[in-house]
Amino acid sequence: MAKIKHVAITCEDPVAVAEFYKKGFDLVEVARNERQVQLTDGDINLTLLKWKTNADADVGPNGENYSGIHHIGFQVDSLQETGDKLRGIDGEEIVRRDLAGPGEVRAPRAEEKWSGPNGQVLDISESGWLHKPPMD
């Protein structure tokens, strides 16, 4: 069974929204770059993303500058098997992250982005997302 391990919210100001979740729910920041802040409760990753635009392949069904839940990520046993299942039920692959070659270490968030029947963006990943607070 796949496990929900990642939820992404798009917003105008990811830093300010992250502060709300950190202060209100004691979530821990585990990563940040110019487009996102990643938080965790130790089990599930919550990513605050800068608004998507029409230039983004995964803009999603709500269009650009949408504030709200953008996508849900499922940790799966096999990208290949899950992708085949999704393709068989009319899922559509949107973006495929580069995966490491044989014997190489995979990037920690190598994933594929798909859309379901209503256009909802879905992530699938074998390795999951950052969700463990850093050690003190």
mmCIF file with all atom_site columns, all heavy atoms in Angstrom, residues 15-32:
data_model
loop_
_atom_site.group_PDB
_atom_site.id
_atom_site.type_symbol
_atom_site.label_atom_id
_atom_site.label_alt_id
_atom_site.label_comp_id
_atom_site.label_asym_id
_atom_site.label_entity_id
_atom_site.label_seq_id
_atom_site.pdbx_PDB_ins_code
_atom_site.Cartn_x
_atom_site.Cartn_y
_atom_site.Cartn_z
_atom_site.occupancy
_atom_site.B_iso_or_equiv
_atom_site.pdbx_formal_charge
_atom_site.auth_seq_id
_atom_site.auth_comp_id
_atom_site.auth_asym_id
_atom_site.auth_atom_id
_atom_site.pdbx_PDB_model_num
ATOM 1   N N   . VAL A 1 15 ? 7.649  31.732 2.827  1.00 0.00 ? 15 VAL A N   1
ATOM 2   C CA  . VAL A 1 15 ? 8.364  31.968 4.088  1.00 0.00 ? 15 VAL A CA  1
ATOM 3   C C   . VAL A 1 15 ? 7.380  32.374 5.190  1.00 0.00 ? 15 VAL A C   1
ATOM 4   O O   . VAL A 1 15 ? 7.413  31.843 6.301  1.00 0.00 ? 15 VAL A O   1
ATOM 5   C CB  . VAL A 1 15 ? 9.481  33.011 3.908  1.00 0.00 ? 15 VAL A CB  1
ATOM 6   C CG1 . VAL A 1 15 ? 10.096 33.401 5.241  1.00 0.00 ? 15 VAL A CG1 1
ATOM 7   C CG2 . VAL A 1 15 ? 10.550 32.472 2.959  1.00 0.00 ? 15 VAL A CG2 1
ATOM 8   N N   . ALA A 1 16 ? 6.486  33.302 4.892  1.00 0.00 ? 16 ALA A N   1
ATOM 9   C CA  . ALA A 1 16 ? 5.504  33.753 5.887  1.00 0.00 ? 16 ALA A CA  1
ATOM 10  C C   . ALA A 1 16 ? 4.546  32.629 6.262  1.00 0.00 ? 16 ALA A C   1
ATOM 11  O O   . ALA A 1 16 ? 4.224  32.444 7.445  1.00 0.00 ? 16 ALA A O   1
ATOM 12  C CB  . ALA A 1 16 ? 4.725  34.958 5.352  1.00 0.00 ? 16 ALA A CB  1
ATOM 13  N N   . VAL A 1 17 ? 4.103  31.856 5.275  1.00 0.00 ? 17 VAL A N   1
ATOM 14  C CA  . VAL A 1 17 ? 3.181  30.751 5.565  1.00 0.00 ? 17 VAL A CA  1
ATOM 15  C C   . VAL A 1 17 ? 3.894  29.676 6.388  1.00 0.00 ? 17 VAL A C   1
ATOM 16  O O   . VAL A 1 17 ? 3.317  29.110 7.318  1.00 0.00 ? 17 VAL A O   1
ATOM 17  C CB  . VAL A 1 17 ? 2.574  30.191 4.266  1.00 0.00 ? 17 VAL A CB  1
ATOM 18  C CG1 . VAL A 1 17 ? 1.713  28.963 4.540  1.00 0.00 ? 17 VAL A CG1 1
ATOM 19  C CG2 . VAL A 1 17 ? 1.753  31.270 3.553  1.00 0.00 ? 17 VAL A CG2 1
ATOM 20  N N   . ALA A 1 18 ? 5.165  29.424 6.075  1.00 0.00 ? 18 ALA A N   1
ATOM 21  C CA  . ALA A 1 18 ? 5.938  28.452 6.858  1.00 0.00 ? 18 ALA A CA  1
ATOM 22  C C   . ALA A 1 18 ? 6.037  28.887 8.316  1.00 0.00 ? 18 ALA A C   1
ATOM 23  O O   . ALA A 1 18 ? 5.916  28.060 9.231  1.00 0.00 ? 18 ALA A O   1
ATOM 24  C CB  . ALA A 1 18 ? 7.331  28.273 6.257  1.00 0.00 ? 18 ALA A CB  1
ATOM 25  N N   . GLU A 1 19 ? 6.244  30.164 8.546  1.00 0.00 ? 19 GLU A N   1
ATOM 26  C CA  . GLU A 1 19 ? 6.324  30.661 9.924  1.00 0.00 ? 19 GLU A CA  1
ATOM 27  C C   . GLU A 1 19 ? 5.024  30.388 10.685 1.00 0.00 ? 19 GLU A C   1
ATOM 28  O O   . GLU A 1 19 ? 5.050  30.033 11.859 1.00 0.00 ? 19 GLU A O   1
ATOM 29  C CB  . GLU A 1 19 ? 6.666  32.155 9.953  1.00 0.00 ? 19 GLU A CB  1
ATOM 30  C CG  . GLU A 1 19 ? 8.096  32.459 9.562  1.00 0.00 ? 19 GLU A CG  1
ATOM 31  C CD  . GLU A 1 19 ? 9.117  31.709 10.414 1.00 0.00 ? 19 GLU A CD  1
ATOM 32  O OE1 . GLU A 1 19 ? 9.007  31.715 11.655 1.00 0.00 ? 19 GLU A OE1 1
ATOM 33  O OE2 . GLU A 1 19 ? 10.023 31.085 9.829  1.00 0.00 ? 19 GLU A OE2 1
ATOM 34  N N   . PHE A 1 20 ? 3.894  30.541 10.022 1.00 0.00 ? 20 PHE A N   1
ATOM 35  C CA  . PHE A 1 20 ? 2.604  30.241 10.645 1.00 0.00 ? 20 PHE A CA  1
ATOM 36  C C   . PHE A 1 20 ? 2.562  28.787 11.105 1.00 0.00 ? 20 PHE A C   1
ATOM 37  O O   . PHE A 1 20 ? 2.213  28.494 12.252 1.00 0.00 ? 20 PHE A O   1
ATOM 38  C CB  . PHE A 1 20 ? 1.466  30.505 9.648  1.00 0.00 ? 20 PHE A CB  1
ATOM 39  C CG  . PHE A 1 20 ? 0.129  30.025 10.122 1.00 0.00 ? 20 PHE A CG  1
ATOM 40  C CD1 . PHE A 1 20 ? -0.666 30.821 10.934 1.00 0.00 ? 20 PHE A CD1 1
ATOM 41  C CD2 . PHE A 1 20 ? -0.340 28.772 9.759  1.00 0.00 ? 20 PHE A CD2 1
ATOM 42  C CE1 . PHE A 1 20 ? -1.902 30.363 11.381 1.00 0.00 ? 20 PHE A CE1 1
ATOM 43  C CE2 . PHE A 1 20 ? -1.573 28.315 10.197 1.00 0.00 ? 20 PHE A CE2 1
ATOM 44  C CZ  . PHE A 1 20 ? -2.355 29.116 11.015 1.00 0.00 ? 20 PHE A CZ  1
ATOM 45  N N   . TYR A 1 21 ? 2.940  27.844 10.239 1.00 0.00 ? 21 TYR A N   1
ATOM 46  C CA  . TYR A 1 21 ? 2.885  26.423 10.590 1.00 0.00 ? 21 TYR A CA  1
ATOM 47  C C   . TYR A 1 21 ? 3.944  26.051 11.635 1.00 0.00 ? 21 TYR A C   1
ATOM 48  O O   . TYR A 1 21 ? 3.709  25.206 12.488 1.00 0.00 ? 21 TYR A O   1
ATOM 49  C CB  . TYR A 1 21 ? 3.018  25.551 9.332  1.00 0.00 ? 21 TYR A CB  1
ATOM 50  C CG  . TYR A 1 21 ? 1.744  25.530 8.533  1.00 0.00 ? 21 TYR A CG  1
ATOM 51  C CD1 . TYR A 1 21 ? 1.599  26.340 7.409  1.00 0.00 ? 21 TYR A CD1 1
ATOM 52  C CD2 . TYR A 1 21 ? 0.675  24.730 8.902  1.00 0.00 ? 21 TYR A CD2 1
ATOM 53  C CE1 . TYR A 1 21 ? 0.424  26.345 6.677  1.00 0.00 ? 21 TYR A CE1 1
ATOM 54  C CE2 . TYR A 1 21 ? -0.509 24.718 8.175  1.00 0.00 ? 21 TYR A CE2 1
ATOM 55  C CZ  . TYR A 1 21 ? -0.627 25.531 7.069  1.00 0.00 ? 21 TYR A CZ  1
ATOM 56  O OH  . TYR A 1 21 ? -1.797 25.527 6.353  1.00 0.00 ? 21 TYR A OH  1
ATOM 57  N N   . LYS A 1 22 ? 5.100  26.704 11.572 1.00 0.00 ? 22 LYS A N   1
ATOM 58  C CA  . LYS A 1 22 ? 6.137  26.429 12.574 1.00 0.00 ? 22 LYS A CA  1
ATOM 59  C C   . LYS A 1 22 ? 5.687  26.910 13.951 1.00 0.00 ? 22 LYS A C   1
ATOM 60  O O   . LYS A 1 22 ? 5.824  26.191 14.944 1.00 0.00 ? 22 LYS A O   1
ATOM 61  C CB  . LYS A 1 22 ? 7.463  27.079 12.178 1.00 0.00 ? 22 LYS A CB  1
ATOM 62  C CG  . LYS A 1 22 ? 8.097  26.407 10.973 1.00 0.00 ? 22 LYS A CG  1
ATOM 63  C CD  . LYS A 1 22 ? 9.509  26.821 10.594 1.00 0.00 ? 22 LYS A CD  1
ATOM 64  C CE  . LYS A 1 22 ? 9.881  28.235 10.649 1.00 0.00 ? 22 LYS A CE  1
ATOM 65  N NZ  . LYS A 1 22 ? 11.211 28.523 10.067 1.00 0.00 ? 22 LYS A NZ  1
ATOM 66  N N   . LYS A 1 23 ? 5.148  28.125 14.014 1.00 0.00 ? 23 LYS A N   1
ATOM 67  C CA  . LYS A 1 23 ? 4.721  28.679 15.303 1.00 0.00 ? 23 LYS A CA  1
ATOM 68  C C   . LYS A 1 23 ? 3.421  28.056 15.806 1.00 0.00 ? 23 LYS A C   1
ATOM 69  O O   . LYS A 1 23 ? 3.262  27.815 16.998 1.00 0.00 ? 23 LYS A O   1
ATOM 70  C CB  . LYS A 1 23 ? 4.553  30.193 15.191 1.00 0.00 ? 23 LYS A CB  1
ATOM 71  C CG  . LYS A 1 23 ? 5.867  30.922 15.001 1.00 0.00 ? 23 LYS A CG  1
ATOM 72  C CD  . LYS A 1 23 ? 5.660  32.407 14.788 1.00 0.00 ? 23 LYS A CD  1
ATOM 73  C CE  . LYS A 1 23 ? 7.004  33.109 14.558 1.00 0.00 ? 23 LYS A CE  1
ATOM 74  N NZ  . LYS A 1 23 ? 6.813  34.510 14.187 1.00 0.00 ? 23 LYS A NZ  1
ATOM 75  N N   . GLY A 1 24 ? 2.486  27.804 14.897 1.00 0.00 ? 24 GLY A N   1
ATOM 76  C CA  . GLY A 1 24 ? 1.185  27.295 15.303 1.00 0.00 ? 24 GLY A CA  1
ATOM 77  C C   . GLY A 1 24 ? 1.156  25.819 15.616 1.00 0.00 ? 24 GLY A C   1
ATOM 78  O O   . GLY A 1 24 ? 0.370  25.373 16.459 1.00 0.00 ? 24 GLY A O   1
ATOM 79  N N   . PHE A 1 25 ? 2.006  25.024 14.946 1.00 0.00 ? 25 PHE A N   1
ATOM 80  C CA  . PHE A 1 25 ? 1.958  23.571 15.099 1.00 0.00 ? 25 PHE A CA  1
ATOM 81  C C   . PHE A 1 25 ? 3.307  22.964 15.453 1.00 0.00 ? 25 PHE A C   1
ATOM 82  O O   . PHE A 1 25 ? 3.449  21.736 15.457 1.00 0.00 ? 25 PHE A O   1
ATOM 83  C CB  . PHE A 1 25 ? 1.430  22.933 13.812 1.00 0.00 ? 25 PHE A CB  1
ATOM 84  C CG  . PHE A 1 25 ? 0.019  23.354 13.490 1.00 0.00 ? 25 PHE A CG  1
ATOM 85  C CD1 . PHE A 1 25 ? -0.219 24.334 12.545 1.00 0.00 ? 25 PHE A CD1 1
ATOM 86  C CD2 . PHE A 1 25 ? -1.061 22.785 14.156 1.00 0.00 ? 25 PHE A CD2 1
ATOM 87  C CE1 . PHE A 1 25 ? -1.517 24.735 12.250 1.00 0.00 ? 25 PHE A CE1 1
ATOM 88  C CE2 . PHE A 1 25 ? -2.358 23.183 13.864 1.00 0.00 ? 25 PHE A CE2 1
ATOM 89  C CZ  . PHE A 1 25 ? -2.592 24.157 12.917 1.00 0.00 ? 25 PHE A CZ  1
ATOM 90  N N   . ASP A 1 26 ? 4.309  23.783 15.741 1.00 0.00 ? 26 ASP A N   1
ATOM 91  C CA  . ASP A 1 26 ? 5.646  23.318 16.112 1.00 0.00 ? 26 ASP A CA  1
ATOM 92  C C   . ASP A 1 26 ? 6.306  22.453 15.033 1.00 0.00 ? 26 ASP A C   1
ATOM 93  O O   . ASP A 1 26 ? 7.110  21.576 15.344 1.00 0.00 ? 26 ASP A O   1
ATOM 94  C CB  . ASP A 1 26 ? 5.617  22.553 17.444 1.00 0.00 ? 26 ASP A CB  1
ATOM 95  C CG  . ASP A 1 26 ? 5.145  23.409 18.591 1.00 0.00 ? 26 ASP A CG  1
ATOM 96  O OD1 . ASP A 1 26 ? 5.524  24.597 18.628 1.00 0.00 ? 26 ASP A OD1 1
ATOM 97  O OD2 . ASP A 1 26 ? 4.378  22.911 19.429 1.00 0.00 ? 26 ASP A OD2 1
ATOM 98  N N   . LEU A 1 27 ? 5.972  22.697 13.757 1.00 0.00 ? 27 LEU A N   1
ATOM 99  C CA  . LEU A 1 27 ? 6.633  21.955 12.689 1.00 0.00 ? 27 LEU A CA  1
ATOM 100 C C   . LEU A 1 27 ? 8.073  22.432 12.581 1.00 0.00 ? 27 LEU A C   1
ATOM 101 O O   . LEU A 1 27 ? 8.400  23.562 12.944 1.00 0.00 ? 27 LEU A O   1
ATOM 102 C CB  . LEU A 1 27 ? 5.906  22.155 11.358 1.00 0.00 ? 27 LEU A CB  1
ATOM 103 C CG  . LEU A 1 27 ? 4.465  21.656 11.294 1.00 0.00 ? 27 LEU A CG  1
ATOM 104 C CD1 . LEU A 1 27 ? 3.916  21.800 9.877  1.00 0.00 ? 27 LEU A CD1 1
ATOM 105 C CD2 . LEU A 1 27 ? 4.321  20.225 11.770 1.00 0.00 ? 27 LEU A CD2 1
ATOM 106 N N   . VAL A 1 28 ? 8.938  21.561 12.072 1.00 0.00 ? 28 VAL A N   1
ATOM 107 C CA  . VAL A 1 28 ? 10.370 21.827 11.969 1.00 0.00 ? 28 VAL A CA  1
ATOM 108 C C   . VAL A 1 28 ? 10.731 22.030 10.502 1.00 0.00 ? 28 VAL A C   1
ATOM 109 O O   . VAL A 1 28 ? 10.312 21.252 9.639  1.00 0.00 ? 28 VAL A O   1
ATOM 110 C CB  . VAL A 1 28 ? 11.175 20.638 12.556 1.00 0.00 ? 28 VAL A CB  1
ATOM 111 C CG1 . VAL A 1 28 ? 12.675 20.846 12.358 1.00 0.00 ? 28 VAL A CG1 1
ATOM 112 C CG2 . VAL A 1 28 ? 10.845 20.465 14.027 1.00 0.00 ? 28 VAL A CG2 1
ATOM 113 N N   . GLU A 1 29 ? 11.507 23.077 10.235 1.00 0.00 ? 29 GLU A N   1
ATOM 114 C CA  . GLU A 1 29 ? 11.983 23.316 8.876  1.00 0.00 ? 29 GLU A CA  1
ATOM 115 C C   . GLU A 1 29 ? 13.135 22.376 8.561  1.00 0.00 ? 29 GLU A C   1
ATOM 116 O O   . GLU A 1 29 ? 14.094 22.280 9.325  1.00 0.00 ? 29 GLU A O   1
ATOM 117 C CB  . GLU A 1 29 ? 12.435 24.766 8.729  1.00 0.00 ? 29 GLU A CB  1
ATOM 118 C CG  . GLU A 1 29 ? 12.832 25.125 7.316  1.00 0.00 ? 29 GLU A CG  1
ATOM 119 C CD  . GLU A 1 29 ? 13.131 26.598 7.133  1.00 0.00 ? 29 GLU A CD  1
ATOM 120 O OE1 . GLU A 1 29 ? 12.442 27.449 7.745  1.00 0.00 ? 29 GLU A OE1 1
ATOM 121 O OE2 . GLU A 1 29 ? 14.074 26.899 6.365  1.00 0.00 ? 29 GLU A OE2 1
ATOM 122 N N   . VAL A 1 30 ? 13.031 21.669 7.409  1.00 0.00 ? 30 VAL A N   1
ATOM 123 C CA  . VAL A 1 30 ? 14.090 20.735 7.019  1.00 0.00 ? 30 VAL A CA  1
ATOM 124 C C   . VAL A 1 30 ? 14.801 21.135 5.737  1.00 0.00 ? 30 VAL A C   1
ATOM 125 O O   . VAL A 1 30 ? 15.874 20.613 5.435  1.00 0.00 ? 30 VAL A O   1
ATOM 126 C CB  . VAL A 1 30 ? 13.561 19.279 6.900  1.00 0.00 ? 30 VAL A CB  1
ATOM 127 C CG1 . VAL A 1 30 ? 13.180 18.743 8.269  1.00 0.00 ? 30 VAL A CG1 1
ATOM 128 C CG2 . VAL A 1 30 ? 12.387 19.184 5.946  1.00 0.00 ? 30 VAL A CG2 1
ATOM 129 N N   . ALA A 1 31 ? 14.227 22.063 4.950  1.00 0.00 ? 31 ALA A N   1
ATOM 130 C CA  . ALA A 1 31 ? 14.884 22.521 3.728  1.00 0.00 ? 31 ALA A CA  1
ATOM 131 C C   . ALA A 1 31 ? 14.206 23.791 3.241  1.00 0.00 ? 31 ALA A C   1
ATOM 132 O O   . ALA A 1 31 ? 13.046 24.061 3.559  1.00 0.00 ? 31 ALA A O   1
ATOM 133 C CB  . ALA A 1 31 ? 14.820 21.444 2.644  1.00 0.00 ? 31 ALA A CB  1
ATOM 134 N N   . ARG A 1 32 ? 14.965 24.564 2.443  1.00 0.00 ? 32 ARG A N   1
ATOM 135 C CA  . ARG A 1 32 ? 14.438 25.813 1.891  1.00 0.00 ? 32 ARG A CA  1
ATOM 136 C C   . ARG A 1 32 ? 15.247 26.173 0.652  1.00 0.00 ? 32 ARG A C   1
ATOM 137 O O   . ARG A 1 32 ? 16.448 25.964 0.599  1.00 0.00 ? 32 ARG A O   1
ATOM 138 C CB  . ARG A 1 32 ? 14.579 26.920 2.935  1.00 0.00 ? 32 ARG A CB  1
ATOM 139 C CG  . ARG A 1 32 ? 14.135 28.291 2.470  1.00 0.00 ? 32 ARG A CG  1
ATOM 140 C CD  . ARG A 1 32 ? 14.498 29.372 3.470  1.00 0.00 ? 32 ARG A CD  1
ATOM 141 N NE  . ARG A 1 32 ? 13.801 29.208 4.731  1.00 0.00 ? 32 ARG A NE  1
ATOM 142 C CZ  . ARG A 1 32 ? 13.250 30.199 5.409  1.00 0.00 ? 32 ARG A CZ  1
ATOM 143 N NH1 . ARG A 1 32 ? 13.323 31.432 4.954  1.00 0.00 ? 32 ARG A NH1 1
ATOM 144 N NH2 . ARG A 1 32 ? 12.654 29.976 6.556  1.00 0.00 ? 32 ARG A NH2 1
#
